[in-house]
Amino acid sequence: MKKTWQSPVIQKMNGGLMNKFGTRTEYEPVKHIDGVSVQSLIKEYGSPLFVLSERTLRRNYRDAYRAFSTRYPSVQFAWSYKTNYLNAVCRVFHQEGSWAEVVSGFEYQKALGNGVPGPQIIFNGPEKTNEELELAVRNGSLIHIDHFDELFQLLAITDRIPEKPRVAIRVNMDTGVYPVWDRFGFNYENGQAWDALKRIVTSGKMTLTGLHCHIGTFMLSTNAYRQAVKKLADLAWRCKTELNTPLQYLDLGGGFPSTNTLRGSFLPGTDAVPSVDEFAEAITAQLTELGYGTQDTPKLILESGRVLVDDAGYLLSTVVATKRLSDGRRATILDAGVNLLFTSFWYDHTISPAQDFTHHTEDMALFGPLCMNIDVLRQSSNLPLLNRGDQVVIHKTGAYNMTQWMQFIHMRPNVVMIDEEGNTHLIREAETLEYLQQPEKIPAHLQQPEKK
Ligand SMILES: *Cc1c(COP(=O)(O)O)cnc(C)c1O
């Protein structure tokens, strides 16, 4: 087809120049997500609306997996359920080859429901009931022990059932990033971790399979992972030489940052955070320096969450109203609030208009629809003047929002996934009053609404 001629236009470039307020948010409207028009999505599924890009999920997974698997012979990813446990999202990662990493009994059940075999479920977290542990033991799942009380819980279970628990311990350590996350697992420096390992092995009742750590989240230091590798490898070496127990894997957890911009940070996230390649290089180089990566190499497990899913998620929203605050600042009220976008408490999410706009921009506050003072999506963002009915795209909302969202004042909206062919699928229905009230019970004396 012959292209139609269009007259040339001259557009002022702002070249990413920064002033003391940082960079301007957007220069171009975002009218499409993976080729599907924002307007048509909102028309069909309502506003606000969460959108997930299957293409981005798979691309992120493959890029991250390649970063590790080209540098180390045996790599396994385990999808962190709490980061986004919509089944459609989990299944994309499982199809790509990911195991499941869960931190509660219901997440464990979800993983089973998604068809993950027991031995491919990693059960983390500080609270596991006897019933949950027993089920995990029977299924041959990998149980990562968090504290001595859990170790004793497991020992008691081995008296009741024939299956031998497959366990690892979670280790916490000083990696040079402060404050140290020392509330989970056993401490390395004070000898607690080694003590736990000795108890596990000498009990003779469990199979010690590996070592685990998850040193923090949104980590900006690749060196911290080097430190973690050194300390886990030291324990692994001692397990092999002193306890005669070679380990099958080292699990380095998650924590790699997405490219969201932390609140108050001068540089945008895209410029500030190390890439997955840099983390992979630090971790695998350290392993290689320590002599791993040849024969008898323990598997390297990673439990990345946010870096795989954050930029695959969008929140679409519509302008409800605009107003002037008492100090003269412009404010824009959107129909999506912090009850849906929990991460706006620590990120400055990029917000793009979804339609053409004039070149006039202004610093404005962006508020949600909640009747609550804390409902602020952006304290200040330089955007074109938006009007009632205009639509916006909020970027990088895939991690931790679709699990930490709540029905506060407003219910949770539809969630759709755009597949690789550009077809849109509803993957979670908007909630209804009926759904919300279904678990409620009314005591007999309150059945009659009239005054006594
Ligand atoms: C939350 C969590 C993860 C995922 O963390 P991200 O920062 O999202 O990568 C991995 N492992 C454990 C044990 C976790 O609690």
Side-chain angles (χ1 to χ4, degrees):
M1 262 240 318
K2 194 162 180 257
K3 284 188 180 163
T4 48
W5 186 83
Q6 285 184 323
S7 67
V9 285
I10 294 176
Q11 206 174 352
K12 186 178 160 202
M13 298 296 286
N14 291 286
L17 269 191
M18 245 183 281
N19 58 29
K20 66 178 174 176
F21 305 109
T23 45
R24 226 183 80 178
T25 309
E26 275 305 323
Y27 300 98
E28 298 284 341
V30 174
K31 296 183 188 173
H32 295 89
I33 296 171
D34 286 3
V36 182
S37 105
V38 168
Q39 215 176 6
S40 70
L41 284 168
I42 288 182
K43 195 160 171 226
E44 185 164 359
Y45 299 99
S47 176
L49 174 70
F50 274 106
V51 180
L52 285 149
S53 158
E54 183 175 345
R55 188 186 299 166
T56 308
L57 291 175
R58 291 189 190 272
R59 192 194 57 212
N60 287 349
Y61 180 92
R62 289 173 196 172
D63 287 351
Y65 185 77
R66 191 182 315 110
F68 282 91
S69 61
T70 50
R71 291 176 166 96
Y72 193 79
S74 175
V75 177
Q76 179 62 54
F77 278 22
W79 173 240
S80 157
Y81 264 49
K82 76 170 188 292
T83 311
N84 188 321
Y85 46 55
L86 293 179
N87 290 332
V89 171
C90 297
R91 283 171 188 239
V92 167
F93 289 125
H94 296 321
Q95 274 190 355
E96 290 290 331
S98 200
W99 291 2
E101 185 273 328
V102 304
V103 290
S104 72
F106 99 76
E107 287 187 8
Y108 187 90
Q109 293 292 346
K110 256 181 165 277
L112 288 178
N114 284 326
V116 184
Q120 300 183 3
I121 305 177
I122 295 173
F123 198 175
N124 281 321
E127 194 255 352
K128 309 180 186 84
T129 66
N130 285 328
E131 294 69 34
E132 289 159 3
L133 281 175
E134 201 173 310
L135 178 67
V137 173
R138 286 187 193 278
N139 285 335
S141 299
L142 299 164
I143 299 166
H144 289 181
I145 304 172
D146 192 84
H147 42 66
F148 281 111
D149 283 309
E150 189 179 332
L151 204 164
F152 302 142
Q153 245 181 308
L154 272 169
L155 280 176
I157 287 172
T158 60
D159 292 338
R160 296 200 297 271
I161 63 171
E163 290 88 352
K164 219 173 169 185
R166 301 170 69 212
V167 302
I169 61 164
R170 176 160 176 178
V171 181
N172 69 63
M173 72 241 329
D174 183 349
T175 59
V177 172
Y178 306 103
V180 170
W181 273 25
D182 60 359
R183 57 171 283 187
F184 303 110
F186 300 88
N187 184 253
Y188 170 80
E189 283 83 11
N190 70 12
Q192 203 181 44
W194 179 240
D195 190 24
L197 292 168
K198 277 191 303 193
R199 280 183 193 228
I200 289 168
V201 173
T202 54
S203 79
K205 292 179 172 172
M206 305 184 204
T207 309
L208 180 64
T209 53
L211 291 168
H212 171 233
C213 68
H214 174 62
I215 56 177
T217 193
F218 213 91
M219 301 293 287
L220 296 170
S221 159
T222 55
N223 188 51
Y225 286 88
R226 276 187 172 265
Q227 303 310 315
V229 168
K230 276 189 206 165
K231 291 177 180 179
L232 283 195
D234 172 54
L235 289 175
W237 176 250
R238 287 159 69 192
C239 284
K240 188 171 170 178
T241 55
E242 294 175 41
L243 301 176
N244 199 23
T245 308
L247 299 182
Q248 294 163 22
Y249 64 86
L250 298 180
D251 180 345
L252 266 291
F256 307 148
S258 70
T259 51
N260 251 310
T261 303
L262 286 177
R263 257 202 182 177
S265 140
F266 180 68
L267 287 172
T270 37
D271 296 340
V273 307
S275 66
V276 176
D277 265 290
E278 289 171 79
F279 286 103
E281 181 58 30
I283 289 170
T284 58
Q286 187 64 60
L287 282 167
T288 312
E289 272 170 44
L290 294 169
Y292 289 95
T294 52
Q295 334 113 317
D296 290 344
T297 282
K299 204 192 282 289
L300 170 61
I301 298 182
L302 296 144
E303 307 169 341
S304 264
R306 67 176 80 235
V307 76
L308 300 183
V309 74
D310 215 9
D311 68 352
Y314 303 83
L315 178 57
L316 312 186
S317 177
T318 305
V319 175
V320 174
T322 62
K323 56 162 72 171
R324 286 277 162 202
L325 303 176
S326 62
D327 62 2
R329 258 188 317 147
R330 188 178 173 95
T332 301
I333 304 169
L334 299 171
D335 65 359
V338 292
N339 61 315
L340 303 181
L341 202 65
F342 212 78
T343 50
S344 51
F345 288 122
W346 57 86
Y347 291 147
D348 280 340
H349 281 285
T350 300
I351 300 179
S352 313
Q355 55 282 303
D356 290 317
F357 45 81
T358 65
H359 66 276
H360 297 291
T361 66
E362 193 174 331
D363 283 323
M364 63 184 77
L366 288 150
F367 299 136
L370 307 183
C371 195
M372 184 86 179
N373 200 36
I374 57 161
D375 192 19
V376 182
L377 296 187
R378 290 288 302 268
Q379 296 284 0
S380 176
S381 178
N382 194 276
L383 281 170
L385 308 183
L386 297 164
N387 299 306
R388 176 174 164 81
D390 282 352
Q391 295 162 350
V392 299
V393 177
I394 308 173
H395 298 267
K396 297 176 192 169
T397 64
Y400 295 103
N401 288 306
M402 283 160 255
T403 47
Q404 295 192 75
W405 53 2
M406 57 187 153
Q407 306 122 327
F408 177 59
I409 305 183
H410 284 279
M411 282 178 270
R412 294 174 280 209
N414 281 326
V415 182
V416 297
M417 182 182 275
I418 302 174
D419 71 19
E420 292 182 292
E421 275 78 53
N423 305 308
T424 307
H425 307 267
L426 183 62
I427 61 166
R428 192 177 192 276
E429 250 172 348
E431 291 167 346
T432 59
L433 185 58
E434 193 191 2
Y435 165 86
L436 197 60
Q437 296 192 134
Q438 192 268 329
E440 287 195 44
K441 303 267 180 267
I442 300 185
H445 71 286
L446 301 175
Q447 293 285 353
Q448 296 306 321
E450 307 91 66
K451 245 182 169 171
K452 263 192 193 165

